Amino acid sequence: LLLLALIAVHTTVLTGLKTFIPLYYEKFSELTPNRIALMVTVISLTGALGTLIGGVLAERIGRRNVILLASTLVMAALFLFWQSEGLVQLVALAFVGTFLSMPWPICVVMVQEAMPNNVGLASGLTLGLAYGVSGLAVAALGRMADGFGLPATMQLVMWVPLVAIPLCFFVPERTE
């Protein structure tokens, strides 16, 4: 459950950013549609990179350490993204995508190890939960944006990763 909660937090933030960056920057900035599309592309491509890096790093410094490091560093990257412009903002967003996606394959493997006789169920839980919860969360965030505005919604998305940090301390190094 702990690993599934971490997956849910990270995918909610990632999906929230991909959904609300275009809406926010179209309305509250003078960025071109191409520049806004580039932002979403950067976070998506670096998310793929993060899934690759996460597994390699886990073998070197430990699973829990990678999950904790990524969950902590994403906060710094989000802050830099929010406070910057231009190339620095894109680089910060690249780190956001990388750090949000790094724990994903590690958590999937750990859930599969925790359910060795039900690996298919474990895989379905991780994938289904990631997309299901993030879809419901983004719908709730959309409702929030309608009621309280896009700036408040973006602020909330920026702070959601804080939920993951204390959870990381309870992640076992091995689930087998």
Side-chain angles (χ1 to χ4, degrees):
L1 289 176
L2 177 69
L3 294 167
L4 295 175
L6 283 168
I7 290 170
V9 168
H10 288 141
T11 57
T12 294
V13 174
L14 195 57
T15 306
L17 289 171
K18 289 178 186 179
T19 302
F20 293 105
I21 282 174
L23 298 171
Y24 179 84
Y25 282 96
E26 179 185 28
K27 185 169 184 171
F28 295 103
S29 79
E30 295 180 14
L31 295 178
T32 66
N34 287 342
R35 170 62 185 222
I36 296 168
L38 178 61
M39 293 169 80
V40 176
T41 301
V42 165
I43 198 169
S44 297
L45 290 177
T46 56
L49 179 66
T51 61
L52 295 171
I53 294 171
V56 173
L57 270 178
E59 293 298 320
R60 292 200 164 88
I61 66 171
R63 294 172 174 184
R64 179 182 33 227
N65 291 338
V66 171
I67 295 169
L68 179 60
L69 182 68
S71 297
T72 304
L73 290 177
V74 78
M75 290 303 304
L78 279 167
F79 179 78
L80 182 59
F81 163 71
W82 193 245
Q83 299 299 319
S84 62
E85 295 177 351
L87 184 59
V88 173
Q89 187 178 46
L90 279 177
V91 170
L93 197 56
F95 282 113
V96 168
T98 302
F99 295 140
L100 282 173
S101 298
M102 249 188 216
W104 169 261
I106 299 166
C107 290
V108 170
V109 167
M110 292 177 79
V111 171
Q112 289 171 340
E113 288 173 355
M115 302 172 71
N117 297 326
N118 296 297
V119 175
L121 175 61
S123 299
L125 279 173
T126 55
L127 186 62
L129 181 83
Y131 291 109
V133 168
S134 67
L136 292 172
V138 169
L141 288 168
R143 184 75 160 159
M144 180 183 170
D146 289 342
F148 298 100
L150 284 167
T153 304
M154 285 294 286
Q155 284 292 325
L156 179 61
V157 170
M158 299 292 174
W159 290 103
V160 167
L162 277 177
V163 173
I165 295 171
L167 296 176
C168 294
F169 290 102
F170 299 101
V171 172
E173 185 56 40
R174 296 279 175 196
T175 54
E176 350 181 53

